[in-house]
Amino acid sequence: MSGDASYTAVVRAAELAFPRGGRWMFFVYGAIGYAVLVREARFSWLYDVVVLLVIASSAGFSTWFFSRTGSRKFEADASGITVAEQKLSWSDIAQLRISAMRRGALLEVLLGPAARASYRGPLRRAADLVIMGYYPFFHSGRRYWPAVQVPRADPPRYLIPLLQVTPAELGSALARVAPGTPIVAA
């Protein structure tokens, strides 16, 4: 928290770095790599078990790491909310919902009817997960959209998982910088 003029918070790294569901793709990529290695290398069964344990441990650690860490990419001030360089003005926000989550608070930013939101359909979201796997190797300028920047539909809203903050702290801080915006604590 930095004064009454603005409020900053830590956003979970998985939602900043990957499309929705992306942190679980480490297991998918590991399974594919394991299947190729076992099929093509034809090592002993003991070596296959060791490789499976190493790949599963690596995928589990990566998933855990991106779930537990974050970056200070959330800011609320008099002009609106900024998340990962994406700005939402208070006039676009109809309501804020705050609920508890493990190690933090989940902020739902419900959009008003006049707000522009670009949704990504199920096929495009699946393509984002595939592109995520190739992105480090074939960086062609095309990129997938992080989960925190893609609104959900029905009702149109952004889900922002914030770490190291309680719902009560978040609610009181947002009430100071967002006068007139309804804040509902669940």
Side-chain angles (χ1 to χ4, degrees), residues 80 105 108 115 118 124 129 133 136 139 142 149 159 161 174:
E108 286 185 74
S118 58
R124 184 61 197 148
L129 291 173
H139 181 64
R142 182 176 180 161
Q149 291 184 342
L159 296 179
L174 290 176

Side-chain angles (χ1 to χ4, degrees), residues 4-177:
D4 288 332
S6 69
Y7 175 79
T8 61
V10 176
V11 180
R12 187 166 48 199
E15 276 70 17
L16 289 171
F18 308 125
R20 192 177 326 156
R23 66 182 160 162
W24 302 107
M25 291 302 289
F26 292 112
F27 289 103
V28 174
Y29 300 142
I32 292 169
Y34 176 75
V36 169
L37 183 67
V38 167
R39 182 173 169 7
E40 297 300 322
R42 300 178 200 268
F43 292 118
S44 71
W45 68 270
L46 182 59
Y47 183 78
D48 292 345
V49 169
V50 169
V51 168
L52 176 65
L53 291 174
V54 168
I55 289 175
S57 298
S58 173
F61 176 77
S62 298
T63 301
W64 172 83
F65 179 78
F66 281 103
S67 298
R68 299 283 241 170
T69 62
S71 183
R72 198 164 288 280
K73 294 284 187 169
F74 176 86
E75 182 178 4
D77 57 21
S79 62
I81 292 176
T82 305
V83 180
E85 289 81 43
Q86 182 177 8
K87 184 77 171 169
L88 291 170
S89 68
W90 291 120
S91 61
D92 292 336
I93 298 172
Q95 183 183 42
L96 300 173
R97 288 187 199 160
I98 302 170
S99 57
M101 69 172 206
R102 193 179 207 185
R103 300 191 55 225
L106 179 66
L107 176 65
E108 286 185 74
V109 180
L110 280 75
L111 301 176
R116 288 185 44 228
S118 58
Y119 300 102
R120 296 174 83 72
L123 289 176
R124 184 61 197 148
R125 287 194 316 263
D128 284 345
L129 291 173
V130 171
I131 291 169
M132 180 188 115
Y134 293 107
Y135 185 71
F137 307 108
F138 305 106
H139 181 64
S140 63
R142 182 176 180 161
R143 92 186 223 0
Y144 51 85
W145 293 97
V148 79
Q149 291 184 342
V150 178
R152 296 187 182 216
D154 205 20
R157 68 198 185 283
Y158 287 94
L159 296 179
I160 306 167
L162 301 173
L163 300 175
Q164 305 167 358
V165 65
T166 65
E169 292 170 349
L170 180 61
S172 67
L174 290 176
R176 284 195 308 270
V177 295

